Amino acid sequence: MTGTDPRQMNGGYQLDLFGAGPEPAPVAGPAPAPGSVDLYILNLSGGKDGLRAAALALEHARASNAEERVYTVHASLGPLEWPGATANGTYYPGSSELAALHSRALGVPPERHIEVRRTRELEGHRVPYDLLTFIAERGDWPWLGKARWCTGDWKTALIYGAFTSLVRFWKKDLGRPVVCANVLGIRADESRDRKNRPALRTTTDNSARIVHEWSPAHHLSTQAVKDWTDERNLPHQWCYDSRPGAGDWQGSSRCSCSLCVLASGRDLLLGVRRRPQLAELYAHVERVRGVPFNPNTSMAALIERAGEPGAPDPGIVIEDEGPEFDALKNAVDAALRKPPKRQRYVPRSGPVLPLCADCPEEAEQ
């Protein structure tokens, strides 16, 4: 993105968060006490909800004269998150790029936007370590009801680690634990789990840091978030639309992994049709390990259904190619040549449930 005008990257969007449309509404519901937060950590995934929550948190920081202590962070999933797409000569940013654009829209200086991605050492070199490679090694998928290692290890732990040095600095300066607001784009109407999840809770309290997990957009409806985004002509992830640039919000309902095991059936079919090469790689892992992608269906079945009449129109097909995707395929193939680290899956008995639309995870913020 260096040297590129983001307005040109995304069809001329105006990145003026507070200068267009009605003034931002004050934060409703639970919020940290004014002046009580030392560091604001705004989680941005490139999704609509993270930007809305971040804007509300920024208003809180401004009212507390703490705007200079606001940071944005994006936990990248590499080739598994939605990539950039070009349609009719216009480039629409992928999730990582869009998170950086959202940070700029908030007015956060580039040096206070942090992107983290999990890596590991391989043959003496530090290389990306992607979630699908881990799944291939493990021989299992992060289903609902199991330990959510896909979110915890690839997002939460990385974000906490990224701010450790900053927390140490402020602790030394303050002489006490650093109070952090970890701002998430979680809303009550997304799922039963999120409805029951407190908008404000303390998740860490030790000698180094006190972390308040805060979801300032928790009370807002999906339509309210979409309207707020459109009123300001702000860029939203192209996967939300029927095709890049349509602006109709008729595409994917969520913006997390392109193929999330907990996504709705329609979102999965759209993902399969939009990223067929990635879907085939998922199916390859599924075949070798003998474990279905989802407890209620398989990636192979989804690919078959995506080719049938009545499947959603993808609007665009992404050609997954290039060094990053090749590296992912090579890493997955290498993992599949070894025995799985988890016990082999045993199919369950009983009725098959519909694909889950109530994903409680934090990937889409």
Side-chain angles (χ1 to χ4, degrees):
M1 286 178 33
T2 303
T4 302
D5 184 352
R7 299 171 193 238
Q8 296 301 317
M9 291 173 62
N10 211 23
Y13 287 106
Q14 298 297 307
L15 301 182
D16 184 2
L17 192 63
F18 303 113
E23 287 299 308
V27 176
S36 67
V37 176
D38 299 315
L39 295 176
Y40 290 80
I41 303 167
L42 315 183
N43 288 253
L44 297 175
S45 70
K48 63 188 187 304
D49 300 329
L51 178 59
R52 186 66 187 101
L56 289 167
L58 183 60
E59 287 296 291
H60 188 276
R62 286 175 171 171
S64 300
N65 295 316
E67 189 174 357
E68 297 302 313
R69 289 180 268 120
V70 172
Y71 291 77
T72 57
V73 61
H74 174 68
S76 173
L77 293 170
L80 302 191
E81 65 183 22
W82 287 103
T86 299
N88 299 321
T90 300
Y91 178 73
Y92 297 87
S95 295
S96 289
E97 297 166 299
L98 196 53
L101 293 182
H102 285 169
S103 180
R104 287 187 59 181
L106 291 163
V108 176
E111 63 271 18
R112 283 197 263 129
H113 175 67
I114 299 170
E115 179 173 306
V116 291
R117 182 175 175 185
R118 191 168 178 183
T119 62
R120 65 175 173 180
E121 189 168 316
L122 191 65
E123 298 179 353
H125 299 281
R126 180 62 58 176
V127 299
Y129 187 23
D130 292 307
L131 177 58
L132 188 58
T133 304
F134 179 77
I135 289 170
E137 293 174 344
R138 181 183 172 98
D140 203 357
W141 304 83
W143 292 341
L144 186 67
K146 291 191 174 184
R148 294 306 314 281
W149 40 263
C150 60
T151 298
D153 293 348
W154 263 260
K155 288 178 176 285
T156 306
L158 290 180
I159 290 170
Y160 267 57
F163 286 90
T164 296
S165 61
L166 194 62
V167 166
R168 286 174 179 166
F169 171 83
W170 278 98
K171 181 178 183 297
K172 184 177 180 180
D173 184 70
L174 296 170
R176 57 169 174 77
V178 181
V179 180
C180 305
N182 185 33
V183 178
L184 305 177
I186 290 177
R187 293 183 299 103
D189 74 349
E190 291 181 285
S191 70
R192 291 185 297 273
D193 178 87
R194 292 189 173 197
K195 182 178 181 179
N196 295 326
R197 187 167 175 166
L200 180 67
R201 63 179 181 177
T202 301
T203 57
T204 302
D205 188 346
N206 58 37
S207 61
R209 68 181 93 185
I210 299 170
V211 180
H212 301 308
E213 181 187 275
W214 182 29
S215 303
H218 191 264
H219 63 291
L220 296 177
S221 68
T222 299
Q223 191 59 51
V225 173
K226 291 177 180 178
D227 290 345
W228 178 85
T229 305
D230 289 342
E231 285 165 358
R232 285 155 182 78
N233 201 27
L234 290 165
H236 63 256
Q237 170 56 259
W238 66 262
C239 76
Y240 286 134
D241 292 335
S242 60
R243 55 178 175 77
D248 56 11
W249 300 93
Q250 296 299 308
S252 302
S253 65
R254 305 293 297 275
C255 170
S256 52
C257 291
S258 299
L259 297 170
C260 174
V261 296
L262 302 178
S264 68
R266 184 177 184 276
D267 278 6
L268 284 171
L269 291 175
L270 262 178
V272 167
R273 298 201 71 186
R274 286 174 164 176
R275 301 194 67 183
Q277 291 164 285
L278 181 63
E280 287 292 348
L281 188 58
Y282 273 60
H284 178 48
V285 174
E286 187 180 66
R287 285 192 299 271
V288 173
R289 291 307 188 209
V291 182
F293 162 80
N294 182 287
N296 308 305
T297 190
S298 66
M299 182 55 66
L302 287 166
I303 292 172
E304 182 177 354
R305 287 168 56 189
E308 296 174 351
D313 184 350
I316 188 173
V317 176
I318 301 296
E319 296 295 334
D320 278 309
E321 55 186 7
E324 186 176 50
F325 194 76
D326 289 344
L328 172 64
K329 289 194 295 184
N330 291 337
V332 167
D333 286 341
L336 293 176
R337 287 193 289 268
K338 300 176 182 179
K341 295 180 179 179
R342 295 283 291 179
Q343 184 176 359
R344 194 167 182 82
Y345 166 76
V346 177
R348 69 179 186 183
S349 59
V352 175
L353 302 176
L355 290 176
C356 177
D358 287 338
C359 175
E361 46 83 25
E362 301 167 12
E364 198 279 323
Q365 296 168 6

